[in-house]
Amino acid sequence: MKLRSYMLIGFFLSLILTIVPFSGNLINAATPTAAPVSAASFTQGVQKTVLDNGLTVLTKEVHTAPVVSVQVWYKVGSRNEIKGENGISHQLEHLMFKGTTARPVQFGRLFSALGSQFNAFTSYDETAYFGTVQRDRLEALLTLEADRMANSLIGPEQLKSEKRVVISELQGYENSPAYRLDRAVMRDAFPTRAYGLSVGGTKADVEKFTVEQVRNYYQTYYSPDNATLVITGDFATEPVLKVVKETYGKLTKRGNEEKRTRENVAPSPPVASTTKKAPIVLKQPGSAALLQAVYPLPDIKHPDVPAIDVMDAILTGGRSSRLYQALVESGLASSVSGSAAELIEPGWYDISATAAPGQELGKIAQVLQESLGKLQQQPVTTEELNRAKTQLQASYILGNQDITSQATQLGYYETIAGDYHFIEQYLAAIAKVTPAQVQKVAKTYLNPAKQTIGFFEPTQPDGKPGTSSAGSGRTVENFSPGKPVDPAELAKYLPPATSTADSGKQSLPEEFTLNNGLRVLLLRDRNLPTINLSGQIDAGTEFDGNQKAGLANLTAVSLMNGTKTKNALTLAKTLEDRGAGLGFSASREGVSVSGEGLSANLPILIQTLADVLENATFPAEQLELSRQRALTSLKVKLDDPAGLGRQVFQQAIYPENHPFYSFPTAESLKNITRDDLLGFYQTHYRPDNTTIAIVGDFELVKVKALLNQAFDKWQATGKPPVLKIPSVPLPQTSTRLNKVIPGKAEAVTYIGYNGISRKDPRYYAALILNQILGGDTLASRLGTEVRDRQGLTYGIYSGFAAGINPGPFLIQMQTAPLDTQKAIASTIALLKQLREQGVTEAELNTAKRSISNSYPVDLANPSNVSSIILDNAVLGLSRSEIRDFPQRIQAVTMTQMQQAIEDLIKPENLVIVTAGPGDTVPKGS
């Protein structure tokens, strides 16, 4: 039951564009980890209260950080929709941010002003809203959520603008071949059930929604007796429950409870055909060939669920899993994944694979079926069974290190299973699953006659992607943006904080250097039995050069392919048997190392890390498999408007001989030899080039001894390679580039130029400036004008990619092709307005508070803390930066802000790159 793999579907805002050194790839940390765990620990201390109006309230005190999370879960999702209303749950979720009768303002601005890290999503069975803030803003968050539960503004103006935003979102999904294949497969698998429909809806249905329809849906489902309020974090239960009763207790039940009850009755599982269905085949423009197979499953309360999830872990849980070995290690596929969707009604098991270059989907389907057949015919081994159980149990510990995740888990199980205690029964049952049970569920549910399978076969586009170049567009001069939102006006609607928060003193890491030059930062955190490891090796893609572009990342991802004493499978099992994970990926300025596990497994993590950094062998056969995966990833990236657009933007800013210009090509990847990898590894992987940060439950003395022992033999000779990054001037004039990708529905545009480094004295002012301009898609000037008022984009963000060296300042947005030029014109006009008029004192102070108030939420997650500590060290900042950051933000003056605007906002020097379905530059521009 991979909770997040299918749950977080629909409108999911990213609130702040992360300010990090540019990386061509964003790669997640390795597989979640852990060992057997007490199920009761997840629900210990939870108190359930049901108000007279039927609202369920779950409270859990967690005093590990001075923050609280508030979540409201409504038992309504796409499952409740009828014909002609597909996507109405999702549309309503958008409208819940448009204000209330008492607060007719964008709620995103209110949440941002509180310093809340907030979001929302719609899924099959539920719609949820959540925010995490400093503890003194708990009552304010409760007040806002209660207000929009009862009084949301759903009028013609709100619906009109949010319809455009939703359609932009849906059309953005159309850019993905995997989305289009999933839609076809699910419709065929569940032709008469709402689960067969896309959660986000269809453009045709969304266009027809009326105000009356959406209001009726709101009145029916957004009732206290159909909701669960979850509060976790640093608070006292009794006083908070008193506030909840005063705030929510006055809300009345409403809507048609009988209708809700009738629609919430699960249907009988469909009767399976006795003959295997023919595959669904989509032949459309795209990149890689894709396979997706779906099998019907029971609902979440069925006794087979634990064994199904163990089966899934055996099939797809990491590199040692059966399908990874059968499909990826054999060279047939570049990736494979599985997910069991166990919901209120009978769900499904999904297996997805991406073909390796030149491999046939029919062959992948054949090997897949052979692997499933073997699972049905022979009991799994004890080793496999124990590994799967450990991985499942581990994911619940590592996935709940922060209070937001703990609240999400409680809300999910209370809503979907009807009881937050379900997790206890589930984990207890996982521990008891037998080989016979796994074999039984494989026979029962992986029946070929019940399978719905789909193939996406990419067609070759006619000719090469088109390009055009033009000026910035003539519509700019005639566009006049609205006035920026006045924070004083906003303050009228903002509930007060209860007191001045004392966020407490952030502990500082201990720093030391091993004899070989390896730098280590350690921060002890006894709150959870976990370890979070972050590292960086100065071996990034800046060292590639154009002829060998891709070498740094190919070296990084090949580290786990084998060492002098362990092959790839042995390395994988060493970690996966314990539920631990270790991963490597190259970014522009270094190789990122990410590791996690239970504290008992810290020695294994460190020993494995030391082994691959000292003794990697880059076996030839594994290199070819890694190369094929890299070629597939490249094809997918160049078929994605966001990926291609970012590359073209980067290469338009930096000259061809600049280290930041190089990006992999099919030719450069094919030219890389094993000797190239060995040479790069021996040159750049050095202890004096490496920094490691570890946060978790450990003894400092023991960890120091462990590190000294593990890395004692890793030595470097001579001085480490140093690359002088040349400075890059701004373009003399505005540049416009357009890249055409056949078969796409939405365009993605990047606007910007080269920016500043992290150690630039203007950095803190730039961060505040960015918060005002586009750091938050609902609360910023760009978001207010381009998204909220005009409805031209699903999301618009800005950010400074400030690393060791200056990286780009950029604005990114997704638009319909016909809206692209207007959105660009609006953006340029806003930049000119900012340059000419500056910002107000109130805007400056509001942005400062938003950044500094949300910072404690970042520090409440130990995984974030390890990354922050590492980044500060690598960027040359002091150890105390993690503590001093909010004060540095607060110290920025209006004079510094005005200087930052003058220095960094250059509307006349923009590079504008659009990638998407067609030429978005009007003729004659």
Side-chain angles (χ1 to χ4, degrees), residues 6-50:
Y6 59 84
M7 187 178 74
L8 304 185
I9 296 172
F11 174 57
F12 204 126
L13 296 171
S14 286
L15 300 177
I16 298 177
L17 185 67
T18 307
I19 312 302
V20 293
F22 169 71
S23 168
N25 300 295
L26 294 177
I27 298 181
N28 291 327
T31 311
T33 71
V37 60
S38 164
S41 64
F42 293 112
T43 56
Q44 188 174 1
V46 177
Q47 182 171 325
K48 180 175 179 177
T49 307
V50 180

Short mmCIF file of all heavy atoms in Angstrom, two decimals, residues 6-50:
data_model
loop_
_atom_site.label_atom_id
_atom_site.label_comp_id
_atom_site.label_asym_id
_atom_site.label_seq_id
_atom_site.Cartn_x
_atom_site.Cartn_y
_atom_site.Cartn_z
N TYR A 6 -0.41 6.76 -5.33
CA TYR A 6 -1.64 7.02 -6.07
C TYR A 6 -2.53 8.05 -5.37
O TYR A 6 -3.51 8.51 -5.92
CB TYR A 6 -2.45 5.74 -6.26
CG TYR A 6 -2.85 5.07 -4.97
CD1 TYR A 6 -3.98 5.47 -4.27
CD2 TYR A 6 -2.06 4.05 -4.43
CE1 TYR A 6 -4.33 4.88 -3.07
CE2 TYR A 6 -2.41 3.46 -3.23
CZ TYR A 6 -3.54 3.87 -2.56
OH TYR A 6 -3.88 3.29 -1.38
N MET A 7 -2.17 8.42 -4.12
CA MET A 7 -3.06 9.28 -3.35
C MET A 7 -2.97 10.74 -3.79
O MET A 7 -3.98 11.41 -3.95
CB MET A 7 -2.70 9.18 -1.87
CG MET A 7 -3.67 9.91 -0.96
SD MET A 7 -3.22 9.71 0.76
CE MET A 7 -1.80 10.76 0.90
N LEU A 8 -1.75 11.22 -3.98
CA LEU A 8 -1.59 12.64 -4.21
C LEU A 8 -1.75 12.97 -5.69
O LEU A 8 -0.80 13.24 -6.40
CB LEU A 8 -0.22 13.10 -3.71
CG LEU A 8 0.02 12.78 -2.23
CD1 LEU A 8 1.33 13.38 -1.78
CD2 LEU A 8 -1.11 13.30 -1.36
N ILE A 9 -2.98 12.89 -6.14
CA ILE A 9 -3.29 13.15 -7.53
C ILE A 9 -4.21 14.36 -7.59
O ILE A 9 -5.09 14.54 -6.78
CB ILE A 9 -3.97 11.93 -8.17
CG1 ILE A 9 -2.99 10.76 -8.19
CG2 ILE A 9 -4.45 12.23 -9.58
CD1 ILE A 9 -3.61 9.47 -8.60
N GLY A 10 -4.02 15.18 -8.58
CA GLY A 10 -4.86 16.36 -8.69
C GLY A 10 -4.07 17.60 -8.36
O GLY A 10 -2.85 17.66 -8.52
N PHE A 11 -4.77 18.61 -7.92
CA PHE A 11 -4.17 19.92 -7.68
C PHE A 11 -3.21 19.84 -6.50
O PHE A 11 -3.60 19.65 -5.38
CB PHE A 11 -5.31 20.89 -7.38
CG PHE A 11 -4.89 22.26 -6.97
CD1 PHE A 11 -4.07 23.00 -7.79
CD2 PHE A 11 -5.35 22.81 -5.79
CE1 PHE A 11 -3.71 24.28 -7.42
CE2 PHE A 11 -4.99 24.08 -5.42
CZ PHE A 11 -4.17 24.82 -6.23
N PHE A 12 -1.91 19.96 -6.78
CA PHE A 12 -0.91 19.87 -5.72
C PHE A 12 0.12 20.97 -5.94
O PHE A 12 1.05 20.81 -6.69
CB PHE A 12 -0.24 18.49 -5.74
CG PHE A 12 0.33 18.11 -4.41
CD1 PHE A 12 -0.01 16.92 -3.81
CD2 PHE A 12 1.20 18.95 -3.75
CE1 PHE A 12 0.51 16.55 -2.58
CE2 PHE A 12 1.72 18.61 -2.52
CZ PHE A 12 1.38 17.41 -1.94
N LEU A 13 -0.09 22.10 -5.28
CA LEU A 13 0.78 23.25 -5.47
C LEU A 13 2.16 23.02 -4.89
O LEU A 13 2.30 22.46 -3.82
CB LEU A 13 0.19 24.47 -4.75
CG LEU A 13 -1.14 24.98 -5.25
CD1 LEU A 13 -1.64 26.03 -4.28
CD2 LEU A 13 -0.96 25.58 -6.61
N SER A 14 3.20 23.48 -5.58
CA SER A 14 4.51 23.63 -4.97
C SER A 14 4.62 25.09 -4.58
O SER A 14 4.51 25.96 -5.42
CB SER A 14 5.61 23.27 -5.95
OG SER A 14 5.68 21.90 -6.13
N LEU A 15 4.83 25.35 -3.31
CA LEU A 15 4.67 26.71 -2.85
C LEU A 15 5.91 27.57 -3.02
O LEU A 15 5.82 28.75 -3.25
CB LEU A 15 4.27 26.69 -1.38
CG LEU A 15 2.95 25.95 -1.18
CD1 LEU A 15 2.61 25.87 0.26
CD2 LEU A 15 1.86 26.65 -1.95
N ILE A 16 7.08 26.99 -2.88
CA ILE A 16 8.29 27.79 -3.01
C ILE A 16 9.23 27.05 -3.94
O ILE A 16 9.53 25.89 -3.74
CB ILE A 16 8.98 28.01 -1.66
CG1 ILE A 16 8.03 28.78 -0.73
CG2 ILE A 16 10.29 28.75 -1.82
CD1 ILE A 16 8.57 28.98 0.66
N LEU A 17 9.68 27.73 -5.00
CA LEU A 17 10.66 27.13 -5.89
C LEU A 17 11.98 27.04 -5.13
O LEU A 17 12.54 28.04 -4.71
CB LEU A 17 10.84 28.00 -7.13
CG LEU A 17 11.75 27.46 -8.22
CD1 LEU A 17 11.10 26.23 -8.85
CD2 LEU A 17 11.97 28.51 -9.29
N THR A 18 12.46 25.85 -4.89
CA THR A 18 13.64 25.65 -4.07
C THR A 18 14.84 26.37 -4.66
O THR A 18 15.09 26.30 -5.85
CB THR A 18 13.95 24.15 -3.96
OG1 THR A 18 12.75 23.50 -3.53
CG2 THR A 18 15.06 23.88 -2.97
N ILE A 19 15.57 27.06 -3.83
CA ILE A 19 16.74 27.80 -4.29
C ILE A 19 17.95 26.89 -4.12
O ILE A 19 18.52 26.76 -3.05
CB ILE A 19 16.92 29.09 -3.47
CG1 ILE A 19 15.59 29.84 -3.37
CG2 ILE A 19 18.00 29.97 -4.05
CD1 ILE A 19 14.97 30.22 -4.68
N VAL A 20 18.31 26.21 -5.19
CA VAL A 20 19.42 25.25 -5.12
C VAL A 20 20.27 25.41 -6.36
O VAL A 20 19.83 25.94 -7.37
CB VAL A 20 18.89 23.79 -5.07
CG1 VAL A 20 18.17 23.53 -3.79
CG2 VAL A 20 18.00 23.49 -6.26
N PRO A 21 21.53 24.93 -6.31
CA PRO A 21 22.34 24.93 -7.51
C PRO A 21 21.63 24.15 -8.61
O PRO A 21 20.99 23.14 -8.34
CB PRO A 21 23.63 24.22 -7.07
CG PRO A 21 23.66 24.39 -5.59
CD PRO A 21 22.23 24.42 -5.14
N PHE A 22 21.75 24.61 -9.85
CA PHE A 22 21.03 23.97 -10.94
C PHE A 22 21.43 22.51 -11.09
O PHE A 22 22.60 22.17 -11.07
CB PHE A 22 21.29 24.69 -12.27
CG PHE A 22 20.78 23.92 -13.45
CD1 PHE A 22 19.42 23.83 -13.65
CD2 PHE A 22 21.64 23.24 -14.28
CE1 PHE A 22 18.92 23.09 -14.70
CE2 PHE A 22 21.15 22.51 -15.33
CZ PHE A 22 19.80 22.44 -15.55
N SER A 23 20.44 21.68 -11.27
CA SER A 23 20.69 20.27 -11.55
C SER A 23 19.81 19.87 -12.71
O SER A 23 18.62 20.17 -12.74
CB SER A 23 20.34 19.41 -10.33
OG SER A 23 20.33 18.05 -10.69
N GLY A 24 20.37 19.16 -13.66
CA GLY A 24 19.59 18.71 -14.79
C GLY A 24 18.58 17.67 -14.40
O GLY A 24 17.57 17.48 -15.06
N ASN A 25 18.82 16.94 -13.35
CA ASN A 25 17.91 15.89 -12.92
C ASN A 25 17.59 16.07 -11.46
O ASN A 25 18.45 16.40 -10.66
CB ASN A 25 18.54 14.50 -13.10
CG ASN A 25 18.88 14.23 -14.54
OD1 ASN A 25 18.01 14.14 -15.39
ND2 ASN A 25 20.17 14.12 -14.84
N LEU A 26 16.33 15.82 -11.10
CA LEU A 26 15.95 15.78 -9.69
C LEU A 26 15.71 14.33 -9.35
O LEU A 26 14.79 13.71 -9.86
CB LEU A 26 14.68 16.60 -9.45
CG LEU A 26 14.84 18.11 -9.67
CD1 LEU A 26 13.51 18.80 -9.47
CD2 LEU A 26 15.87 18.68 -8.73
N ILE A 27 16.55 13.75 -8.51
CA ILE A 27 16.47 12.33 -8.21
C ILE A 27 16.16 12.14 -6.75
O ILE A 27 16.81 12.74 -5.88
CB ILE A 27 17.78 11.61 -8.61
CG1 ILE A 27 17.99 11.77 -10.12
CG2 ILE A 27 17.77 10.16 -8.20
CD1 ILE A 27 19.22 11.10 -10.64
N ASN A 28 15.16 11.33 -6.46
CA ASN A 28 14.75 11.12 -5.08
C ASN A 28 15.77 10.30 -4.33
O ASN A 28 16.56 9.56 -4.90
CB ASN A 28 13.40 10.38 -5.04
CG ASN A 28 12.28 11.27 -5.55
OD1 ASN A 28 12.32 12.47 -5.36
ND2 ASN A 28 11.30 10.68 -6.19
N ALA A 29 15.72 10.43 -3.00
CA ALA A 29 16.55 9.58 -2.16
C ALA A 29 16.16 8.13 -2.37
O ALA A 29 15.11 7.81 -2.89
CB ALA A 29 16.38 9.97 -0.69
N ALA A 30 17.04 7.27 -1.95
CA ALA A 30 16.83 5.84 -2.18
C ALA A 30 15.62 5.32 -1.43
O ALA A 30 14.99 6.01 -0.65
CB ALA A 30 18.08 5.09 -1.75
N THR A 31 15.32 4.05 -1.68
CA THR A 31 14.13 3.41 -1.12
C THR A 31 14.00 3.63 0.38
O THR A 31 14.96 3.52 1.11
CB THR A 31 14.25 1.89 -1.36
OG1 THR A 31 14.58 1.69 -2.72
CG2 THR A 31 12.96 1.19 -1.06
N PRO A 32 12.78 3.96 0.86
CA PRO A 32 12.57 4.10 2.31
C PRO A 32 13.00 2.85 3.06
O PRO A 32 12.95 1.76 2.53
CB PRO A 32 11.06 4.32 2.43
CG PRO A 32 10.64 4.83 1.12
CD PRO A 32 11.57 4.20 0.11
N THR A 33 13.38 3.05 4.30
CA THR A 33 14.02 1.95 5.00
C THR A 33 13.51 1.77 6.42
O THR A 33 12.95 2.67 7.00
CB THR A 33 15.51 2.24 5.10
OG1 THR A 33 15.67 3.29 6.01
CG2 THR A 33 16.11 2.65 3.80
N ALA A 34 13.76 0.61 6.98
CA ALA A 34 13.55 0.36 8.41
C ALA A 34 13.61 -1.11 8.73
O ALA A 34 13.90 -1.93 7.90
CB ALA A 34 12.24 0.93 8.86
N ALA A 35 13.29 -1.44 9.96
CA ALA A 35 13.25 -2.82 10.43
C ALA A 35 11.97 -3.01 11.21
O ALA A 35 11.22 -2.09 11.36
CB ALA A 35 14.48 -3.07 11.29
N PRO A 36 11.71 -4.22 11.71
CA PRO A 36 10.45 -4.44 12.43
C PRO A 36 10.17 -3.35 13.45
O PRO A 36 11.05 -2.88 14.14
CB PRO A 36 10.67 -5.80 13.09
CG PRO A 36 11.58 -6.50 12.16
CD PRO A 36 12.50 -5.44 11.61
N VAL A 37 8.90 -2.97 13.55
CA VAL A 37 8.54 -1.82 14.37
C VAL A 37 7.24 -2.11 15.10
O VAL A 37 6.40 -2.86 14.62
CB VAL A 37 8.38 -0.58 13.46
CG1 VAL A 37 7.32 -0.81 12.43
CG2 VAL A 37 8.04 0.65 14.26
N SER A 38 7.09 -1.50 16.26
CA SER A 38 5.85 -1.64 17.01
C SER A 38 4.75 -0.82 16.35
O SER A 38 4.88 0.39 16.20
CB SER A 38 6.06 -1.16 18.44
OG SER A 38 4.83 -0.95 19.08
N ALA A 39 3.68 -1.48 15.95
CA ALA A 39 2.58 -0.79 15.26
C ALA A 39 1.96 0.26 16.16
O ALA A 39 1.53 1.32 15.70
CB ALA A 39 1.53 -1.80 14.82
N ALA A 40 1.91 0.00 17.45
CA ALA A 40 1.25 0.93 18.37
C ALA A 40 1.94 2.28 18.43
O ALA A 40 1.33 3.29 18.77
CB ALA A 40 1.19 0.32 19.77
N SER A 41 3.24 2.33 18.08
CA SER A 41 3.98 3.59 18.17
C SER A 41 3.43 4.65 17.23
O SER A 41 3.59 5.84 17.46
CB SER A 41 5.46 3.36 17.88
OG SER A 41 5.63 2.92 16.54
N PHE A 42 2.75 4.23 16.16
CA PHE A 42 2.23 5.20 15.20
C PHE A 42 0.97 5.89 15.73
O PHE A 42 0.66 7.00 15.34
CB PHE A 42 1.90 4.52 13.87
CG PHE A 42 3.12 4.03 13.15
CD1 PHE A 42 3.37 2.68 13.00
CD2 PHE A 42 4.04 4.93 12.63
CE1 PHE A 42 4.49 2.23 12.35
CE2 PHE A 42 5.18 4.49 11.98
CZ PHE A 42 5.41 3.13 11.83
N THR A 43 0.22 5.21 16.59
CA THR A 43 -1.04 5.79 17.07
C THR A 43 -0.98 6.14 18.55
O THR A 43 -1.97 6.63 19.10
CB THR A 43 -2.19 4.79 16.83
OG1 THR A 43 -1.87 3.55 17.47
CG2 THR A 43 -2.39 4.56 15.35
N GLN A 44 0.15 5.91 19.16
CA GLN A 44 0.28 6.22 20.59
C GLN A 44 0.06 7.71 20.83
O GLN A 44 0.63 8.55 20.14
CB GLN A 44 1.68 5.81 21.08
CG GLN A 44 1.84 5.90 22.58
CD GLN A 44 3.19 5.35 23.02
OE1 GLN A 44 4.00 4.93 22.20
NE2 GLN A 44 3.44 5.35 24.31
N GLY A 45 -0.78 8.04 21.79
CA GLY A 45 -1.02 9.43 22.14
C GLY A 45 -2.10 10.11 21.31
O GLY A 45 -2.42 11.28 21.54
N VAL A 46 -2.68 9.39 20.35
CA VAL A 46 -3.74 9.99 19.53
C VAL A 46 -5.03 10.00 20.34
O VAL A 46 -5.40 9.01 20.97
CB VAL A 46 -3.95 9.20 18.22
CG1 VAL A 46 -5.12 9.79 17.42
CG2 VAL A 46 -2.67 9.21 17.38
N GLN A 47 -5.72 11.14 20.31
CA GLN A 47 -7.02 11.24 20.97
C GLN A 47 -8.07 11.55 19.91
O GLN A 47 -7.91 12.45 19.11
CB GLN A 47 -7.00 12.35 22.02
CG GLN A 47 -8.32 12.49 22.79
CD GLN A 47 -8.21 13.43 23.97
OE1 GLN A 47 -7.17 13.50 24.63
NE2 GLN A 47 -9.27 14.18 24.24
N LYS A 48 -9.15 10.76 19.93
CA LYS A 48 -10.24 10.96 18.96
C LYS A 48 -11.43 11.58 19.67
O LYS A 48 -11.89 11.10 20.70
CB LYS A 48 -10.64 9.62 18.33
CG LYS A 48 -11.77 9.73 17.31
CD LYS A 48 -12.01 8.39 16.62
CE LYS A 48 -13.14 8.46 15.62
NZ LYS A 48 -13.33 7.18 14.89
N THR A 49 -11.93 12.67 19.10
CA THR A 49 -13.09 13.38 19.64
C THR A 49 -14.08 13.58 18.50
O THR A 49 -13.69 13.97 17.40
CB THR A 49 -12.68 14.75 20.20
OG1 THR A 49 -11.61 14.58 21.13
CG2 THR A 49 -13.85 15.44 20.87
N VAL A 50 -15.35 13.31 18.74
CA VAL A 50 -16.38 13.56 17.74
C VAL A 50 -17.31 14.65 18.27
O VAL A 50 -17.92 14.49 19.33
CB VAL A 50 -17.18 12.28 17.40
CG1 VAL A 50 -18.25 12.59 16.35
CG2 VAL A 50 -16.24 11.18 16.90
#
